[in-house]
């Protein structure tokens, strides 16, 4: 952990090896695939579920292998699934092991998601025991909580050392407020923040680095396109860098809708985030085309997950246009972007619900207009090379 440049060298190496192992070039007489079309720019990933990586969903499994060269686990590595009960006996690695084996079998870049998050984490993690608690509450005190975090990270990262190449170490720790005047950097409602403050982030990265020194460690959050939250991101990451904490990549979730983020905002955000000198990964891309999903994205994404009101009119067309706009900006920033991951394979798998028409393939595993639109962007990018 002494010299930060080592991290960048490792990231560059990984990017180079991804590009080197990418399949044959995109050509007009061959049906396009995402991994071929983007092979000169960045890796293309997808968040996958248990039915897909165990082969119960045979079409889904085949589509993942045909189209993508990177995978993220939608749910199976979240704390509540992988470590449902306290202590060394409290882990359940069955699904996570199958996910990693699937990735290895198909030579995919395997991402781990996620080590420290306030959601999908069992209540016992934050509860007092042994009569020790945070003063006046029944919440765990600093020592208990740090102990649990350490054991969790050491165990989980250690188990997949050398196999998982990128870990989301900390997820969504930033204060979400859209007010410029709110200068609090971290999310007040998170028990991690309440009990440990910024220390949980620092320790999480250090322990993950100790458990697997070759793994790319990512800070991941949503709506960091928005000015006030982006400012807090920059403040947080600079403060980690000043302490030589091994944060090695920024994950921008990019849960979008039909109008947000627009081209200018996305361009400005990526320019700003790149100033941190770290590679950028777009980690959870989807475009919500539901009527209820069209308000501005400043609140917690978890609050607007459903496709209320059905899809807007001409949803497929509008979704395709927004995907095209977003990929045009990603390609413009290809020097800094190393990976773009879609948050789900088909509209039927999406956390947004099927009516949000949020992804590149429909419920019958067929490419949608959005797929064509994304592939088309590489043609103009290729011409501009
Ligand atoms: C967040 C998390 C993901 C997923 C999505 C929506 O962005 O990082 O794991 O839960 O919400 O499902």
């Amino acid at each position: 952990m002494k010299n930060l440049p080592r991290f960048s060298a490792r990231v560059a190496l990984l990017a180079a090896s991804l590009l080197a192992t990418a399949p044959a070039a995109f050509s007009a007489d061959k049906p396009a695939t995402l991994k071929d079309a983007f092979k000169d720019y960045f890796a293309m990933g997808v968040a996958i579920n248990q039915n897909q990586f165990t082969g119960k969903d045979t079409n889904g499994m085949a589509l993942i292998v045909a189209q993508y060269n990177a995978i993220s686990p939608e749910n199976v590595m979240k704390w509540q699934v992988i470590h449902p009960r306290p202590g060394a006996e409290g882990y359940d690695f069955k699904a996570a092991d199958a996910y990693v084996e699937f990735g290895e079998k198909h030579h995919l870049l395997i991402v781990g998601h996620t080590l420290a998050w306030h959601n999908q984490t069992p209540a016992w993690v934050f509860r007092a025991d042994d009569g020790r608690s945070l003063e006046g509450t029944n919440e765990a005190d600093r020592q208990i909580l740090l102990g649990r975090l350490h054991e969790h990270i050491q165990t989980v990262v250690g188990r997949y050392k050398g196999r998982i190449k990128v870990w989301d170490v900390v997820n969504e720790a930033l204060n979400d407020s859209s007010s410029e005047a709110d200068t609090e950097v971290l999310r007040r409602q998170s028990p991690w923040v309440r009990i440990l403050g910024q220390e949980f982030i620092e320790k999480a990265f250090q322990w993950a680095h100790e458990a697997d020194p070759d793994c790319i460690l990512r800070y991941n959050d949503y709506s960091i396109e928005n000015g006030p939250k982006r400012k807090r991101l920059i403040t947080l990451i600079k403060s980690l860098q000043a302490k030589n904490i091994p944060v090695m990549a920024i994950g921008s979730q990019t849960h979008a809708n039909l109008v947000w983020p627009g081209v200018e905002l996305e361009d400005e955000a990526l320019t700003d985030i790149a100033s941190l000198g770290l590679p950028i990964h777009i980690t959870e891309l989807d475009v919500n085309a539901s009527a209820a999903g069209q308000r501005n994205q400043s609140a917690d994404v978890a609050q607007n997950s459903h496709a209320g009101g059905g899809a807007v009119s001409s949803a497929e067309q509008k979704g395709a246009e927004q995907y095209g706009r977003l990929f045009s900006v990603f390609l413009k920033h290809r020097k800094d972007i190393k990976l773009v991951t879609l948050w789900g394979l088909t509209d039927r798998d999406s956390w947004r619900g099927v009516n949000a028409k949020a992804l590149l393939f429909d419920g019958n595993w067929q490419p949608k207009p959005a797929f064509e639109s994304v592939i088309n962007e590489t043609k103009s990018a290729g011409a501009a090379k």
Side-chain angles (χ1 to χ4, degrees):
M1 235 183 355
K2 266 155 261 110
N3 47 349
L4 279 167
R6 266 182 34 231
F7 308 147
S8 331
R10 194 173 308 123
V11 169
L13 258 179
L14 175 77
S17 73
L18 274 172
L19 294 178
T21 54
F26 170 68
S27 76
D29 38 32
K30 181 168 158 268
T33 67
L34 294 165
K35 63 185 178 185
D36 283 0
F38 286 90
K39 73 179 180 54
D40 291 335
Y41 311 120
F42 35 72
M44 287 295 297
V46 59
I48 66 177
N49 64 40
Q50 202 164 350
N51 283 343
Q52 293 159 345
F53 62 73
T54 57
K56 205 165 163 197
D57 172 1
T58 44
N59 293 326
M61 185 189 249
L63 188 59
I64 292 161
V65 174
Q67 291 288 338
Y68 292 97
N69 48 20
I71 49 172
S72 292
E74 187 179 4
N75 283 305
V76 298
M77 286 185 169
K78 289 174 180 169
W79 195 314
Q80 71 178 18
V81 180
I82 205 168
H83 190 182
R85 292 168 305 280
E89 302 303 311
Y91 292 86
D92 182 352
F93 293 115
K94 203 159 165 259
D97 284 356
Y99 161 78
V100 172
E101 281 155 23
F102 169 77
E104 286 184 326
K105 180 168 173 204
H106 297 286
H107 312 290
L108 305 171
L109 171 76
I110 306 170
V111 174
H113 170 85
T114 177
L115 297 170
W117 189 28
H118 58 282
N119 275 332
Q120 293 184 257
T121 300
W124 63 259
V125 175
F126 305 110
R127 239 181 351 236
D129 66 5
D130 302 336
R132 283 172 26 212
S133 64
L134 196 64
E135 216 171 307
T137 71
N138 69 348
E139 274 193 334
D141 68 4
R142 172 178 173 275
Q143 244 180 328
I144 297 177
L145 190 56
L146 280 177
R148 287 176 183 155
L149 181 65
H150 191 192
E151 181 217 86
H152 180 81
I153 290 180
Q154 212 172 27
T155 308
V156 176
V157 177
R159 183 177 184 89
Y160 302 109
K161 183 176 180 209
R163 303 170 74 195
I164 288 189
K165 305 290 187 198
V166 181
W167 262 110
D168 280 329
V169 177
V170 174
N171 203 30
E172 305 182 348
L174 288 169
N175 174 8
D176 210 19
S177 154
S178 50
S179 159
E180 285 278 357
D182 188 343
T183 52
E184 191 89 23
V185 172
L186 299 182
R187 176 189 288 270
R188 297 179 185 86
Q189 317 88 305
S190 159
W192 291 114
V193 174
R194 203 169 46 236
I195 302 170
L196 298 173
Q198 187 172 310
E199 187 182 14
F200 93 93
I201 303 177
E202 298 171 4
K203 288 288 195 297
F205 277 97
Q206 285 171 333
W207 289 331
H209 188 54
E210 275 165 28
D212 187 351
D214 290 327
C215 188
I216 294 173
L217 305 181
R218 196 157 80 180
Y219 176 79
N220 192 46
D221 216 320
Y222 64 89
S223 299
I224 51 177
E225 293 82 356
N226 290 343
K229 194 163 181 181
R230 199 195 321 153
K231 248 194 207 152
R232 296 180 199 118
L233 171 81
I234 306 278
T235 305
L236 170 67
I237 302 300
K238 282 196 168 154
S239 127
L240 297 176
Q241 289 175 323
K243 295 179 175 176
N244 223 4
I245 301 296
V247 53
M248 304 177 200
I250 303 299
S252 176
Q253 294 185 5
T254 323
H255 289 294
N257 67 21
L258 294 172
V259 294
W260 182 95
V263 165
E264 273 178 34
L265 180 63
E266 186 62 20
D267 189 22
E268 176 191 303
L270 291 173
T271 304
D272 208 15
I273 295 168
S275 72
L276 290 166
L278 298 175
I280 300 171
H281 297 183
I282 305 297
T283 51
E284 303 187 16
L285 179 64
D286 53 15
V287 173
N288 187 350
S290 77
Q294 303 313 307
R295 59 181 169 236
N296 241 352
Q297 303 265 311
S298 52
D300 195 330
V301 274
Q303 304 304 310
N304 59 18
S305 61
H306 296 295
V312 303
S313 66
S314 317
E316 294 294 7
Q317 184 51 34
K318 290 176 184 159
E321 287 164 12
Q322 173 69 329
Y323 264 110
R325 287 192 290 271
L326 290 173
F327 271 85
S328 73
V329 185
F330 300 159
L331 284 163
K332 179 173 173 194
H333 290 268
R334 58 195 181 231
K335 189 173 65 56
D336 297 304
I337 294 181
K338 301 299 170 207
L339 169 65
V340 175
T341 295
L342 276 290
W343 200 250
L345 182 64
T346 78
D347 286 348
R348 215 196 315 207
D349 310 308
S350 170
W351 70 299
R352 299 290 200 187
V354 70
N355 287 334
K357 303 186 178 304
L359 295 166
L360 300 182
F361 297 92
D362 68 20
N364 293 317
W365 304 276
Q366 298 306 307
K368 305 197 315 175
F371 172 87
E372 304 300 336
S373 165
V374 161
I375 296 271
N376 271 336
E377 289 302 323
T378 62
K379 298 180 182 161
S380 29
K385 256 201 288 189

